[in-house]
Each structure stands twice: as C-alpha cells, then as structure tokens.
Amino acid sequence: GDSVTQMEGPVTLSEEAFLTINCTYTATGYPSLFWYVQYPGEGLQLLLKATKADDKGSNKGFEATYRKETTSFHLEKGSVQVSDSAVYFCALSPPGGTYKYIFGTGTRLKVLA
Amino acid sequence: GAVVSQHPSRVICKSGTSVKIECRSLDFQATTMFWYRQFPKQSLMLMATSNEGSKATYEQGVEKDKFLINHASLTLSTLTVTSAHPEDSSFYICSASPGGGPLTTGELFFGEGSRLTVL
C-alpha cells in the first residue's frame, strides 16, 4: 500500500543554518504531496504542496520539489529561525482525491538562537 | 484559507464518563470530515471518515461503539468518546476539505486539536 517515510528526528540546528528534512513515498500513480507543520499544542497547518512531478512548492522560505524518479519530496530552507521550531509532517493524497491522507511519522525541528 | 475549528481544545474527565468533541467548518461546507488520533511524538492515525447524513466509515481496529461519530450538518461533525478510560487519553484532530466529491488535488484543513485526559 501507499506509504510515506520521513527522516527521524529530532533535528537540532542553530539559527540561520540550512535545513533538509527527507521524505520519500510509495504510491501507485501520481499522488499529491504535502508538507504540514504542527506547532506545540496546535493542529496541523499546510506549509506547501505539489500536485505533479517536477512541481516545486514553496512558502515562508521553505521549498520542496516533487521528484517522481526518486519518489521524494524533501523539505528545505536556506536559513532557519527559532520560530521554525515545530514538527513537520510529509503527507500524500492518493490519486482520485479521496482525502485519505497518508502521513509520515513527523520530524521534530528545534532551532537554537 | 478555509477554517476548521474544534472545541474544546482541552478536556479532562473521569474514567467511565463520555466526552464530546466538536469539529466545525467555519467558512465552507464539508460533506466529509476526518477524525485522527495522535499519540505523543507520533504521527496522525486516521480513525474514521465522517460523512454528512450517513454513517461514519471507521478504519480497521477502531471501535465504532467506543468512538461515536455524528455528522449532523454540512458544517459540524462530533466525536464522542464513550465510557472513556485512561488509555483513551490522546490528542484528537479533525480535518475537512471545501471540495465536494473526489478531487485530484485534495487539500485538507485541520482543526486545532483537542487534548483529552482521562483520569
């Protein structure tokens, strides 16, 4: 079945460091791919998305490119801030739009001042 | 973007009692809502799909008599944890989408979550 694999955390970085959180997926067809962010005690917020191969999603300095050949959707940011400290979830939505998202296990990011 | 709101955000109850959590779509209608459970430092586990006007569809391993779901209107779904026990303590999150019917690029909007603590 479909699945999402994320790198395990926690990831601890200094402010202004470069961030990469790896995400790979297994799916039939062409799913839509998402990154969600969860701040402490809150629900999930959509960070960015990509709906077809080679699409690049971007928001708030974060980017991720839908790579069909490597079945990956790695999240990157050139310079992280303390306020980026949160848990990041990679997710896919299978083709056909059933909304039954499949989430990765989440990666906790801690940015130190 | 679309707004989904949950209430209460935190609830503490005694073992054996029932607790109701509401999920509302504030600025759109949602024929389908989803309920998730999140254990500490873990991912979201889909519990059930809530369908307006019909019975919810539960994922394998989720007790439907334990977790009652009612989707009475296009903007409200409720999750009732019946006869709650300490092992039911968790963070419950709902989600919904403005789309009606299957879409090729679905986007879900999530509620703020409800933390249930059963003593």
Side-chain angles (χ1 to χ4, degrees):
Chain A
D2 297 349
S3 66
V4 174
T5 301
Q6 275 182 252
M7 63 184 289
E8 288 196 21
V11 174
T12 303
L13 296 173
S14 298
E15 206 165 24
E16 299 184 3
F18 184 86
L19 168 71
T20 299
I21 300 178
N22 290 338
C23 172
T24 57
Y25 68 91
T26 302
T28 53
Y30 292 85
S32 294
L33 301 174
F34 306 84
W35 277 101
Y36 280 85
V37 58
Q38 183 180 34
Y39 297 101
E42 298 183 13
L44 275 67
Q45 301 174 27
L46 178 65
L47 182 59
L48 53 85
K49 67 177 181 180
T51 59
K52 59 182 186 295
D54 300 325
D55 267 3
K56 176 185 283 188
S58 62
N59 185 29
K60 299 180 181 179
F62 291 89
E63 293 183 341
T65 302
Y66 189 143
R67 300 287 189 197
K68 182 66 175 176
E69 63 277 11
T70 55
T71 62
S72 65
F73 193 54
H74 305 321
L75 181 68
E76 297 182 336
K77 187 175 185 181
S79 176
V80 294
Q81 305 300 313
V82 173
S83 58
D84 293 327
S85 298
V87 180
Y88 293 82
F89 291 92
C90 185
L92 70 81
S93 172
T98 64
Y99 301 112
K100 291 186 73 171
Y101 280 26
I102 296 170
F103 287 90
T105 52
T107 303
R108 184 175 299 275
L109 170 66
K110 185 174 183 179
V111 181
L112 305 177
Chain B
V3 178
V4 175
S5 179
Q6 277 183 247
H7 178 80
S9 58
R10 294 179 180 272
V11 56
I12 300 173
C13 70
K14 294 182 179 180
S15 185
T17 61
S18 294
V19 174
K20 180 184 285 188
I21 301 170
E22 294 186 346
C23 178
R24 294 181 184 273
S25 55
L26 298 186
D27 51 2
F28 65 96
Q29 294 184 331
T31 55
T32 304
M33 293 184 174
F34 299 87
W35 287 97
Y36 302 83
R37 182 173 180 176
Q38 185 181 29
F39 293 98
K41 300 184 179 182
Q42 294 188 28
S43 188
L44 281 71
M45 180 192 78
L46 179 64
M47 299 174 64
T49 303
S50 173
N51 304 298
E52 188 269 335
S54 64
K55 292 183 179 180
T57 305
Y58 290 83
E59 296 299 303
Q60 191 173 10
V62 178
E63 299 176 63
K64 61 181 180 181
D65 294 330
K66 174 75 169 176
F67 300 99
L68 300 180
I69 292 173
N70 183 274
H71 196 146
S73 75
L74 287 171
T75 60
L76 173 65
S77 175
T78 60
L79 168 68
T80 301
V81 183
T82 63
S83 187
H85 291 284
E87 57 265 29
D88 298 324
S89 298
S90 194
F91 194 55
Y92 294 89
I93 304 176
C94 72
S95 69
S97 173
L103 295 177
T104 58
T105 60
E107 178 178 340
L108 285 176
F109 294 90
F110 288 80
E112 312 93 322
S114 300
R115 183 164 302 284
L116 170 64
T117 302
V118 184
L119 303 177

